[in-house]
Amino acid sequence: MSMADTFVLFGATGDLARRMLFPSLYFLHAEGFLADNVRIFATARSPRTDEEFRAAVADWVCERADGAESNVVASFVARISYLSIDVTTPEGYDELAAAIRADGGGQEVVFYLSTSPSIFGAVCKGLKDHGLSDAPHRIVVEKPIGYDLKTNIEINDTVAQSFSEERTFRIDHYLGKETVQNLIALRFGNRIFEPLWNAETIKSVQITIGETLGVGDRGGYYDEYGAMRDMMQNHLLQLLCLVAMEPPSSLSADAIRNEKVKVLRSLAPITGQNVESKTIRGQYTEGFAPDGEKAKSYKGDTGLEDSQTETYVAVAAEVMNWRWAGVPFYLETGKRMAERKTHIVIAFRPVPHSIFGSEADENELHIVLQPEERITLQIMNKRPGISAQGMPLEELPLNLSLVERNKGTRRRIAYEQLILDALTNNPSLFVQRDEQEAAWRWIDGIAAAWGERNVQPKAYKSGAPGPSAKHVLTERNGHSWYE
Ligand code: NAP
């Protein structure tokens, strides 16, 4: 396995770099995944000396890595050089190119753009003008790549002028999560699920990403995007793809991503005709956080009294193909919800003929990504004891507790796997351009339908599991949300 010799991080003083990217790089270093010759160049506009920046990184790493050994932290930060560059001006690139190429380095470079997409174009041009965008160099880009299909295409076109598609790594950090990859293992590493994985046996699929936090200080950005563009377009649709896709012919990047894009292209369009029965928008009002603290409304958090941006969205999606026709995929995400929870619930149809007289003889497969990673299969079981009335059943979990299995091992940051993959040139867990375009096309349809029918967000109290109107979405099909 070959590895890039240089990692260049744009936006190195930002929130993402501090909380996720440097700690991930540190863990890769501490666990021996980084080759000895890998150098890290950190750039942002703020002036810092190498020493100042290394000391800051050491602090960020220690905040995240309990008990990090000082000599390991020291050997990690020694890999880092800091360059103060305003990437929107041509000046800094000579210095960057010289630094990268010093001592024969820069043979294979990964550029990571942890900045606003508004400056992606300037960076790509700057790199191209300095001969830094040719193969085998590659670029990693953070979300959001656009606000809609049009802006997505514009940004991707800009990046494509410097980096070819196979050297453009678009991050969706959900794909770096252990349980998300485990979904691939579960589906395609076990014979038992595949014969059941279709509309004949599966009644519905629910995918929920619930957050308990509000928008915090991201109000300006968030108000423009809302829950649908910020979460549904990427994370929720990626999870849906992994649940719904056909078995790929191999684990190769193309094989997996080609199957995912077929799912996205099979999503039934949501239009003005059905948007009110297929989607729910919500916005949080005052209430309480899970710790009992009073929580402000979205309008209070942002100061935007007139905002009609959704902080909650639910959609009953349908994948129109032979495998899934007629199975609703209930997708839901929101801020300031009752629980911080990401889970996928596969609900199986009831047995064709119940001999127990109960209503509950249905199985569910729960794939929980957050707060802990767990997979359980709800199995009907005889309730212990004797009974004068038939055989009462109860539902018990067959539990694959990854918490138990992984006891003693650290919970990884999703970015660790993704950075390692970018360094080793493995794009399987990154999003290709046509996937993004298919996802945006579907999302744009919903946004247009909301506009056409003037669908406004319904209020829900901070700390509630979303607006109560969400139940209409499932009850219409005789289903209910698994909370
Ligand atoms: P941020 O805190 O605003 O950081 C932006 C970084 O870009 C800073 O280091 C800033 O440093 C640098 N920068 C801005 N303008 C620059 C310029 N002209 N030249 C050079 N450097 C410049 O943003 P963030 O939260 O880290 O997010 C970075 C990207 O990741 C965004 O696209 C965001 O949407 C995405 N993302 C973030 C998160 C998260 O949890 N934070 C999660 C998912 C995706 P100076 O001001 O010193 O130049």
Side-chain angles (χ1 to χ4, degrees), residues 181-239:
Q181 290 159 50
N182 215 1
L183 190 53
I184 300 178
L186 186 83
R187 283 199 58 199
F188 306 123
N190 296 289
R191 185 74 180 84
I192 55 172
F193 292 111
E194 176 55 22
L196 307 178
W197 212 258
N198 53 50
E200 211 165 299
T201 325
I202 291 175
K203 184 174 75 172
S204 68
V205 176
Q206 175 184 334
I207 307 178
T208 295
I209 304 180
E211 299 177 287
T212 52
L213 297 175
V215 287
D217 53 13
R218 289 173 73 223
Y221 156 83
Y222 193 88
D223 199 63
E224 197 188 334
Y225 279 74
M228 190 169 66
R229 293 186 165 88
D230 188 46
M231 298 293 288
M232 177 88 60
Q233 183 276 333
N234 37 62
H235 309 319
L236 272 159
L237 288 185
Q238 283 294 324
L239 294 179

Side-chain angles (χ1 to χ4, degrees), residues 5-6 37 39 41 81 96-107:
D5 61 2
T6 307
N37 66 341
R39 295 173 310 156
F41 292 93
S81 308
L96 177 65
I100 289 173
R101 291 179 180 134
D103 306 322
Q107 301 296 319

Side-chain angles (χ1 to χ4, degrees), residues 320-375:
M320 290 195 303
N321 61 22
W322 275 39
R323 187 187 285 269
W324 294 115
V327 177
F329 282 73
Y330 301 114
L331 311 178
E332 161 192 58
T333 183
K335 294 202 173 289
R336 284 256 183 257
M337 289 181 59
E339 273 184 282
R340 175 174 169 260
K341 188 165 193 180
T342 302
H343 63 168
I344 301 170
V345 180
I346 315 282
F348 293 91
R349 294 189 187 282
V351 295
H353 168 64
S354 172
I355 58 172
F356 300 99
S358 64
E359 285 176 14
D361 28 6
E362 297 175 17
N363 308 104
E364 283 164 4
L365 179 68
H366 293 210
I367 300 161
V368 182
L369 283 75
Q370 251 168 202
E372 80 285 343
E373 299 187 312
R374 179 166 50 80
I375 299 176

Side-chain angles (χ1 to χ4, degrees), residues 34-50:
L34 291 190
D36 290 344
N37 66 341
V38 174
R39 295 173 310 156
I40 300 169
F41 292 93
T43 84
R45 284 168 306 185
S46 320
R48 304 262 196 285
T49 63
D50 280 348

Side-chain angles (χ1 to χ4, degrees), residues 414-474:
Y415 285 89
E416 291 175 51
Q417 180 70 59
L418 299 174
I419 292 175
L420 184 62
D421 285 349
L423 285 167
T424 55
N425 199 14
N426 176 4
S428 312
L429 297 177
F430 293 82
V431 183
Q432 67 188 12
R433 183 171 178 159
D434 50 2
E435 279 178 75
Q436 274 192 342
E437 290 180 3
W440 274 120
R441 198 165 282 119
W442 188 70
I443 294 287
D444 279 1
I446 299 176
W450 281 347
E452 186 186 323
R453 308 295 295 195
N454 193 21
V455 178
Q456 298 299 330
K458 297 183 186 333
Y460 64 99
K461 270 202 161 64
S462 289
S468 54
K470 75 181 210 176
H471 297 293
V472 179
L473 214 61
T474 48

Side-chain angles (χ1 to χ4, degrees), residues 11 13-16 19 44-46 85-87 114-115 142-144:
T13 56
D15 175 68
L16 186 68
R19 290 190 305 110
R45 284 168 306 185
S46 320
I85 298 178
D86 181 342
V87 295
S114 178
T115 63
E142 265 296 338
K143 76 160 199 182

Side-chain angles (χ1 to χ4, degrees), residues 391-426:
M391 190 190 289
L393 299 186
E394 66 180 354
E395 207 180 80
L396 285 181
L398 195 62
N399 199 346
L400 178 65
S401 169
L402 299 171
V403 180
E404 203 51 42
R405 157 73 179 75
N406 300 338
K407 226 178 197 152
T409 62
R410 176 179 63 79
R411 187 167 175 175
R412 289 192 175 279
I413 306 172
Y415 285 89
E416 291 175 51
Q417 180 70 59
L418 299 174
I419 292 175
L420 184 62
D421 285 349
L423 285 167
T424 55
N425 199 14
N426 176 4

